[in-house]
Amino acid sequence: MKFFARVSMALEGVTIAFEAIRGNKVRAALTISGVAVGVFVVVTMAAAVHGIRESFQKDLDEFGATTFQINRRDPGNNQCNSPDDPCPDRKNPPVSLDELHAIQNLPEVAYAVARIGNQGTMIYRDHQLKSVGFDAYTSDWIRTDRADISPGRSFTESEDQSAAPLIIVNDTLKSQLFGDSDPLGKEITLEGKPFTVIGVFHTKAGFLKTLNGTGPDNPRAIIPMMTAWRHLSVYKRGISVAVMPQPSVTRDDAMDAVTALLRSRRGIKPGANNSFYLVGEDRIMDIFNQFFGAIFLVGITLSGVGLLVGGVGVVAIMMISVTERTREIGVRKALGATSAIILWQFLVEAATLTTLGAAIGLVIGAVLSWLVKIYTPIPASIPPEAVLVALVAAAGTGILFGMMPAARAARMDPVESLRHE
Amino acid sequence: MSPQTDDVALSTTAERKVVVQSAGAQPGKDWVIVTRGLKREYDMGGEIVRALQGVDLAIRKNEYVAIMGPSGSGKSTLMNLIGCLDTPNGGEYWLSGQLVSTMKDDELARVRNKEIGFVFQTFNLLPRASALHNVELPLVYAGVGSAERKERAMEALTKVQLADRASHRPNELSGGQRQRVAIARALVNRPAILLADEPTGNLDSTTSEEIMRVFENLASTGQTVIMVTHEPDIAAHARRVVVLRDGKIASDERNQKVTSSLGL
């Protein structure tokens, strides 16, 4: 059989499938809906995960592709809460200020920013805001992508070293405390200590920030590290350091240099484990993928069930279709159709049914993803490859489940089927 | 004796005898159909029904033959075998010089496509396809490209005077028109034989006459036509009539003698 004849017959099969669907609308709708539900569930889910992932990636890009973080504990394995938990990370010392300075002086390092996070009550005249999150940074934070100040300025290194009581507020905090008036130079109290406002920073939106309350909609402030260190009660063991390597140095080389430095300063014997964790963007992405991989697995299972239901429907509708068209099969055989051609025709028909179901599922999924994007913080967007996978999986289901009825049609005896009423 | 039987090829009893008796030998080129001792038995729940009990039949190119017989005589079985829809239990069947009695299903499908044009009592057109598409179907299975297919299908429809009905569906056509579409479909692949099974069984007498005229025309332009019927006045159009009785050929003669022997 020549190729174009096969294609032409496939097209004929598609046409016949649409005719069969038109002829039996209810039956076809039931079959199609199983596949459609499966596809729409997985597509919506994929859209949500994909959107979150993209947005997360943007957060990470802001963090910097070559930037890495020095943590006391493994960020991917944080369940060290019970006191009975044999949690070795608990014994790890925090990064000390001396270690921070040594890291900052490494030739491989462009700059290193230490951070301690906390929250406290902020008061400006008669406005009082409780539990406002703030970050204490060393002065180099201004060099990260996060810094975006206007109006005003950040603090200098000497202001940090001298623990100057300066504060930078974000847009939300500014409007909650000061309304429309100019905040610069105003004095607010944080945990009972006076701070002078020197700038306003703008938080970029990001899905994770929205989830953990550090997004642009929440009031937030930045103060110098040493100010927090000396004048506020902060959890000093919670210090983390973000390291930006020199432009000519790869991240791995910089990580090696930091590891060597910390190991020698801490006197860790060769072969013993590090008492700290270096976390790059890829590691954070790994943690993300672990988490969403599980969600995705659920989605795949659900859509698998949908396709299975659709597949069983395909068997039913095709069996009826084959029986109803027994005489047609006889005629086709009489006119020279081989068993393979009949098989092919019915497989194409089954695949058309399920692919149509998938297409409908995709449309519903697209509409739903769009609604999710508009009405929830989840930035859902359908990954293009999911469209392809859905259509191929649906066509595959049609062919797999269409095999039994199609084989029955192909095996029919021409004499018997021509005699069929 | 009408003059038309003389001006076309009609095999003689003697010629046929020679051909059917040389078992195993490939028949000469102008013999379209040769069966030698053709047998077909059915197992009907333990009981063996001998539908055909050794049929020797030879049909030469350009012959117009009617196969007759009462019901149960085996004429449907013979038609199915001649049409390569079924395989015999014994004997030989040569179609256009090929031994088809030993062929497998897929080979038979190809032979049907190439050598045989079927015309059925109930027309058997695909209800949801246009007349043109119905006529195209054998060409689809022959692997003919779309443009040539359309052209040849139109040509065949023109032959049966239905070119203006090409886009109509079967339910938009009269019975006679449907049967003419079926004839166009049977002819489109230029088959060695046109095999008609009770072609007028579902038509009124006027329309039947119209269809018989189409067959007459085809026969006179060189098409081999084999027609299975139980109606003597339809069989009377053929130039040679084979009568089956109890799975055997009871008579195989020129038209006039047969009709008189049936007492018509």
Side-chain angles (χ1 to χ4, degrees):
Chain A
M1 180 67 39
K2 288 181 194 112
F3 175 73
F4 67 84
R6 228 168 234 287
V7 170
S8 126
M9 256 173 315
L11 289 178
E12 201 204 333
V14 172
T15 317
I16 290 167
F18 276 107
E19 278 161 2
I21 290 163
R22 263 205 299 275
N24 296 289
K25 288 194 187 71
V26 176
R27 207 163 67 189
L30 288 174
T31 310
I32 287 171
S33 61
V35 179
V37 166
V39 167
F40 121 75
V41 166
V42 81
V43 160
T44 312
M45 219 164 220
V49 173
H50 178 70
I52 291 170
R53 196 177 190 283
E54 271 199 335
S55 160
F56 189 73
Q57 185 73 51
K58 270 186 210 145
D59 288 356
L60 284 183
D61 289 347
E62 198 181 310
F63 178 71
T66 58
T67 307
F68 60 92
Q69 206 149 359
I70 309 169
N71 282 3
R72 220 183 102 221
R73 291 179 172 191
D74 183 0
N77 183 20
N78 242 345
Q79 287 99 359
C80 296
N81 296 323
S82 153
D84 317 326
D85 199 338
C87 174
D89 287 0
R90 202 197 299 282
K91 299 195 191 76
N92 288 350
V95 176
S96 70
L97 293 178
D98 285 349
E99 283 172 341
L100 173 65
H101 294 141
I103 290 164
Q104 282 169 335
N105 289 332
L106 278 172
E108 289 87 352
V109 172
Y111 57 86
V113 180
R115 172 189 174 270
I116 295 177
N118 205 347
Q119 53 184 37
T121 305
M122 297 199 183
I123 302 167
Y124 174 68
R125 292 188 182 164
D126 53 345
H127 294 280
Q128 179 178 329
L129 292 174
K130 285 186 170 155
S131 306
V132 178
F134 64 86
D135 296 304
Y137 281 127
T138 49
S139 60
D140 273 338
W141 86 276
I142 195 68
R143 297 169 71 174
T144 66
D145 285 348
R146 261 168 244 217
D148 179 13
I149 298 179
S150 74
R153 64 174 182 90
S154 183
F155 46 85
T156 63
E157 192 181 348
S158 59
E159 281 169 337
D160 177 23
Q161 290 305 318
S162 61
L166 303 174
I167 191 162
I168 309 164
V169 298
N170 76 348
D171 298 289
T172 310
L173 181 57
K174 182 223 147 202
S175 61
Q176 286 184 3
L177 286 181
F178 306 104
D180 290 334
S181 64
D182 181 10
L184 297 186
K186 301 263 167 64
E187 193 161 284
I188 62 175
T189 39
L190 168 57
E191 295 290 284
K193 306 271 183 336
F195 282 79
T196 307
V197 179
I198 57 167
V200 178
F201 73 99
H202 315 292
T203 312
K204 285 174 207 153
F207 176 66
L208 278 192
K209 289 177 186 164
T210 313
L211 279 191
N212 68 13
T214 60
D217 295 340
N218 293 83
R220 214 162 167 82
I222 293 170
I223 61 170
M225 169 60 76
M226 294 319 294
T227 312
W229 195 270
R230 287 183 203 152
H231 301 306
L232 297 179
S233 108
V234 289
Y235 181 57
K236 289 175 182 163
R237 285 172 73 80
I239 191 169
S240 69
V241 177
V243 180
M244 178 64 172
Q246 291 285 7
S248 56
V249 177
T250 65
R251 194 193 66 188
D252 288 348
D253 287 346
M255 277 182 161
D256 288 346
V258 169
T259 305
L261 177 85
L262 287 178
R263 284 184 73 97
S264 79
R265 285 185 75 98
R266 293 180 178 188
I268 300 168
K269 293 192 180 72
N273 287 336
N274 289 341
S275 58
F276 54 88
Y277 289 88
L278 300 188
V279 183
E281 189 186 15
D282 47 351
R283 174 83 181 100
I284 299 173
M285 212 65 211
D286 280 354
I287 297 163
F288 174 88
N289 284 340
Q290 256 170 31
F291 177 59
F292 281 102
I295 292 185
F296 208 67
L297 208 66
V298 173
I300 293 286
T301 312
L302 283 177
S303 63
V305 171
L307 286 180
L308 194 74
V309 171
V312 172
V314 166
V315 176
I317 192 175
M318 293 299 292
M319 275 300 190
I320 297 168
S321 177
V322 165
T323 309
E324 274 180 355
R325 282 150 66 195
T326 301
R327 185 188 275 264
E328 176 195 320
I329 294 162
V331 173
R332 286 176 182 275
K333 287 199 163 185
L335 297 182
T338 57
S339 299
I341 288 171
I342 299 289
L343 185 82
W344 174 244
Q345 180 194 325
F346 280 92
L347 287 183
V348 167
E349 197 173 321
T352 305
L353 271 177
T354 51
T355 310
L356 189 67
I360 291 171
L362 281 173
V363 171
I364 299 173
V367 170
L368 213 72
S369 306
W370 179 71
L371 291 176
V372 164
K373 191 175 178 170
I374 289 181
Y375 293 109
T376 73
I378 300 169
S381 77
I382 295 178
E385 62 270 21
V387 175
L388 194 72
V389 169
L391 291 176
V392 170
T397 306
I399 289 171
L400 187 72
F401 284 88
M403 204 53 102
M404 187 164 79
R408 197 171 117 167
R411 271 200 312 270
M412 279 183 179
D413 175 56
V415 174
E416 289 292 322
S417 40
L418 276 171
R419 208 180 285 152
H420 191 266
E421 286 308 315
Chain B
M1 201 177 191
S2 68
Q4 60 178 16
T5 47
D6 292 321
D7 57 4
V8 293
L10 195 57
S11 54
T12 64
T13 314
E15 286 169 338
R16 295 201 286 267
K17 207 165 189 176
V18 173
V19 155
V20 298
Q21 278 174 355
S22 36
Q26 186 179 13
K29 254 182 104 180
D30 55 339
W31 292 101
V32 185
I33 287 174
V34 174
T35 72
R36 292 170 182 143
L38 207 58
K39 285 198 181 90
R40 184 68 172 97
E41 295 169 348
Y42 297 102
D43 187 346
M44 306 290 270
E47 193 191 342
I48 305 294
V49 176
R50 293 190 168 81
L52 287 186
Q53 306 174 31
V55 170
D56 299 329
L57 181 66
I59 296 172
R60 194 184 257 174
K61 208 179 262 177
N62 300 0
E63 284 196 276
Y64 183 4
V65 183
I67 298 175
M68 289 196 72
S71 55
S73 62
K75 65 181 191 302
S76 289
T77 304
L78 182 60
M79 194 213 70
N80 289 337
L81 289 175
I82 289 174
C84 297
L85 293 166
D86 196 8
T87 41
N89 301 110
E92 294 169 25
Y93 172 26
W94 296 82
L95 173 64
S96 294
Q98 308 166 75
L99 185 64
V100 294
S101 45
T102 56
M103 282 185 181
K104 298 264 184 305
D105 285 354
D106 280 358
E107 290 172 283
L108 287 176
R110 272 175 209 117
V111 169
R112 286 196 294 269
N113 182 254
K114 210 169 156 277
E115 307 285 349
I116 300 162
F118 286 96
V119 174
F120 302 96
Q121 177 176 359
T122 52
F123 324 132
N124 279 337
L125 299 175
L126 301 191
R128 287 183 288 248
S130 68
L132 184 71
H133 188 75
N134 267 290
V135 176
E136 271 184 72
L137 213 50
L139 298 175
V140 171
Y141 297 136
V144 176
S146 169
E148 189 190 341
R149 226 159 57 202
K150 293 231 153 37
E151 198 188 312
R152 280 170 63 181
M154 265 325 277
E155 210 174 284
L157 277 173
T158 310
K159 257 190 211 167
V160 294
Q161 278 107 46
L162 279 177
D164 56 332
R165 296 281 189 278
S167 59
H168 291 228
R169 288 182 173 208
N171 60 6
E172 299 162 339
L173 299 171
S174 70
Q177 287 173 329
R178 286 183 212 182
Q179 195 60 302
R180 270 148 62 196
V181 171
I183 293 169
R185 179 178 68 183
L187 294 174
V188 74
N189 224 1
R190 294 166 198 140
I193 54 170
L194 184 70
L195 188 56
D197 178 20
E198 305 278 8
T200 59
N202 275 21
L203 300 173
D204 60 47
S205 55
T206 320
T207 320
S208 296
E209 284 303 317
E210 171 196 323
I211 293 300
M212 292 327 292
R213 272 198 300 278
V214 174
F215 281 3
E216 194 65 51
N217 258 325
L218 291 170
S220 64
T221 55
Q223 176 68 51
T224 311
V225 178
I226 300 168
M227 187 167 66
V228 177
T229 184
H230 68 278
E231 293 178 71
D233 49 339
I234 291 300
H237 288 86
R239 286 154 208 164
R240 178 180 151 198
V241 177
V242 177
V243 177
L244 281 178
R245 199 160 279 140
D246 301 326
K248 284 178 188 153
I249 291 178
S251 70
D252 179 356
E253 293 176 57
R254 288 195 172 206
N255 190 330
Q256 291 77 12
K257 288 181 192 167
V258 169
T259 44
S260 57
S261 78
L262 288 169
L264 293 167

